[in-house]
Amino acid sequence: MTTHLMNTYARQPIAFVRGEGAWLWDEAGKRYLDAVAGVAVNGLGHAHPKLVRAIAEQAASVIHTSNLYRVPRQEALADRLCALSGMDKAFFCNSGCEANEAAIKLARLYGHGKGIEVPTIIVMEKAFHGRTMATLTATGSRKIQAGFEPLLTGFARVPYNDIEAVRQVAEHNKNVVAVLLEVVQGEGGVNVLAPDYLADLRAICDAHGWLLMLDEVQTGIGRTGTWFGFQHSGVMPDVMALAKGLGSGVPIGACLARGAAAEVFKPGNHGSTFGGNPLACAAALATLEAIESEGLLDNARARGEAIRAGLRSALTGVHGIVEIRGEGMMIGIELDRPCGELVGVARDAGVLINVTADKVIRLVPPLIYGDAEVAALVDAVSAIVKNYLQQAA
Ligand SMILES: *Cc1c(COP(=O)(O)O)cnc(C)c1O
């Protein structure tokens, strides 16, 4: 292994050389069932023919031309995303943290426009919004922030899923301009919002003129079984951040906005050299097209339910299981103890899984899973978890 990479990741000691659908092969030719999907990125699985063709064709014409000129693919992608979401306008960038960074800048500019000099954004405990200075400040994890002080000002934190805490802030803090949250917390442990929470939050935002800003970087693009996570609730956000699944692995992020929020940025306020380039937009358009034409939203909903049902029937009553939860193809198994070592155990068994928030096994498979993959994942994961909990008992 090279010593010339900065030591930012605890990498697993394998490399993949080939992928097809929900499966990956390592250098030794061993096959793995993928339930990580490049961290909720590869919704179409690996080497999807339509995606491969779209990228190859775009690369053969123009890859990048800059935002000094019109980019027809970017315009088409903005149209498509707005039609699917009900939002009005899109700004394109290259990653999730940049999409949130755009949302945060937009909220601050919106606040200043109303004469609020210290615009403040309400954020959640256990939130994850990225690793840039603004987004790590918004993130609700001391581990991610420690050592990077001074953090930014202009954020107020409340517990996730606690609408009373938001009401308290509304009463006392007249500088609030927006609320930023995930509809299902990903890195924070696959935490799902209570059914009425978003509607209640929308009402508070409307009463105070705040922007409701959703970080759908992980939950967007079919991950939860609808195009966007907010569509389970019927509540519309004012601002939405997207990235992960949008380009199926070709880096692209987007900040969408609606109504007054869509008119906040003016020329010179924000930008990105690569953002929304023809290659990334071609990958995103092909991703959206494949999700629609292959019925992958329904598939994600049904397969996600089947995985949760399978895990529940195998694991309910097993001592050490706290909860099995999630939405669509975002699945969390919370244990009563740290379980990071299960990533290696599963890998040896030919299954790629992830553990987050110490005690939560996170499964974010490609949206294309069929019956065979569902059964293989449920069998492997439940056996590994049972064995681990019984061993340790
Ligand atoms: C992954 C993630 C981010 C950060 O995305 P990057 O592309 O790594 O910057 C932000 N928010 C959520 C909810 C995420 O899951």
Side-chain angles (χ1 to χ4, degrees), residues 10-238:
R11 292 179 199 272
Q12 297 173 55
I14 49 169
F16 301 109
V17 293
R18 186 167 77 82
E20 195 184 315
W23 301 86
L24 280 165
W25 284 261
D26 71 10
E27 292 165 313
K30 180 175 169 178
R31 187 176 85 142
Y32 300 83
L33 177 61
D34 190 1
V36 173
V39 197
V41 166
N42 307 309
L44 303 183
H46 301 280
H48 191 290
K50 285 181 192 162
L51 178 71
V52 171
R53 197 180 322 120
I55 293 169
E57 283 176 8
Q58 188 59 51
S61 62
V62 286
I63 291 175
H64 176 84
T65 55
S66 89
N67 286 306
L68 299 175
Y69 310 101
R70 283 186 52 206
V71 181
R73 291 247 183 253
Q74 192 183 117
E75 294 173 12
L77 180 59
D79 290 350
R80 193 83 188 91
L81 287 172
C82 288
L84 294 173
S85 65
M87 304 299 277
D88 292 326
K89 294 198 174 172
F91 169 83
F92 291 103
C93 51
N94 314 286
S95 64
C97 61
E98 284 175 86
N100 285 320
E101 192 82 25
I104 292 165
K105 284 182 69 176
L106 189 158
R108 286 183 165 201
L109 202 56
Y110 170 80
H112 283 289
K114 297 203 298 183
I116 295 173
E117 280 173 25
V118 191
T120 297
I121 300 170
I122 295 179
V123 290
M124 304 289 151
E125 288 175 5
K126 297 186 188 168
F128 182 76
H129 298 300
R131 303 282 195 157
T132 60
M133 281 310 308
T135 59
L136 80 82
T137 301
T139 289
S141 156
R142 275 306 297 157
K143 224 159 120 186
I144 284 171
Q145 296 171 339
F148 298 107
E149 298 82 2
L151 303 181
L152 272 65
T153 54
F155 293 92
R157 195 169 307 280
V158 297
Y160 193 64
N161 242 337
D162 182 348
I163 202 71
E164 274 314 312
V166 178
R167 287 205 180 96
Q168 288 292 316
V169 178
E171 256 178 56
H172 299 109
N173 191 332
K174 299 303 163 202
N175 289 327
V176 174
V177 294
V179 186
L180 173 65
L181 75 158
E182 299 151 87
V183 291
V184 179
Q185 289 186 326
E187 308 299 308
V190 192
N191 304 314
V192 182
L193 279 178
D196 293 336
Y197 182 91
L198 273 185
D200 292 343
L201 186 61
R202 179 75 263 176
I204 297 173
C205 287
D206 289 342
H208 294 88
W210 303 348
L211 301 178
L212 175 54
M213 310 205 295
L214 298 180
D215 177 351
E216 293 237 22
V217 167
Q218 188 160 157
T219 49
I221 317 298
R223 174 57 49 194
T224 71
T226 49
W227 280 111
F228 308 100
F230 75 79
Q231 290 170 330
H232 292 281
S233 70
V235 171
M236 284 293 297
D238 300 296

Side-chain angles (χ1 to χ4, degrees), residues 272-294:
S272 166
T273 297
F274 294 130
N277 83 14
L279 185 74
C281 290
L285 284 164
T287 298
L288 299 179
E289 198 287 316
I291 288 173
E292 182 157 59
S293 67
E294 294 171 23

